[in-house]
Amino acid sequence: MIKAISQERLMLAAKVSLAALWIFTGLTSLFFSPQTGYQVLAQGGIIGLSADVAVYAGALLDIVIGLWLLTGIKPYLCCLVQLAVILVYSILLSFIDAGFWLHPFGPLTKNLPVMVLILMVMNGENKP
């Protein structure tokens, strides 16, 4: 039988898992698989310097969001920023290739439960 986990531990696990997701996504875009970002951007006609800026800025933004979440500074605002970034990324990817919604690995559909998790973290935080 599984023992119940306290709300505090669940909240901590939610924050750490979200931070890990953001940080790892940023590191992946920078070091492990930058070519994937360039391929997606090229599908949308974004190449050259514009693609470089998009890949590096997006990766750095992801890492900063993950680190910000771990600091505990203004967590409610951090959650709002996370939701906004996911929404912008989702809209941009939808315009580049709406097929991402039907992709078997769910690169866009996974954003829905992630956004719910962020909302749960927001709900557990004091508003600014």
Side-chain angles (χ1 to χ4, degrees), residues 10-75:
L10 282 174
M11 183 64 74
L12 178 61
K15 290 177 185 178
V16 170
S17 64
L18 284 168
L21 175 68
W22 285 105
I23 293 167
F24 188 74
T25 300
L27 292 175
T28 299
S29 295
L30 281 177
F31 302 112
F32 308 129
S33 186
Q35 69 278 5
T36 302
Y38 284 106
Q39 290 169 352
V40 170
L41 291 170
Q43 285 180 258
I46 302 167
I47 56 172
L49 181 59
S50 296
D52 290 338
V53 170
V55 167
Y56 287 99
L60 292 174
L61 176 62
D62 289 356
I63 293 168
V64 166
I65 289 172
L67 294 174
W68 180 10
L69 189 56
L70 291 175
T71 68
I73 299 170
K74 296 196 181 270

Side-chain angles (χ1 to χ4, degrees), residues 21 86 90 93-94 97-115:
L21 175 68
I86 291 172
S90 297
L93 281 172
S94 294
D97 184 354
F100 283 120
W101 284 103
L102 302 175
H103 192 283
F105 295 134
L108 285 175
T109 53
K110 287 178 185 172
N111 286 344
L112 301 174
V114 169
M115 291 174 79

Side-chain angles (χ1 to χ4, degrees), residues 74-85:
K74 296 196 181 270
Y76 190 87
L77 179 59
C78 182
C79 288
L80 286 175
V81 170
Q82 289 177 77
L83 291 170
V85 169

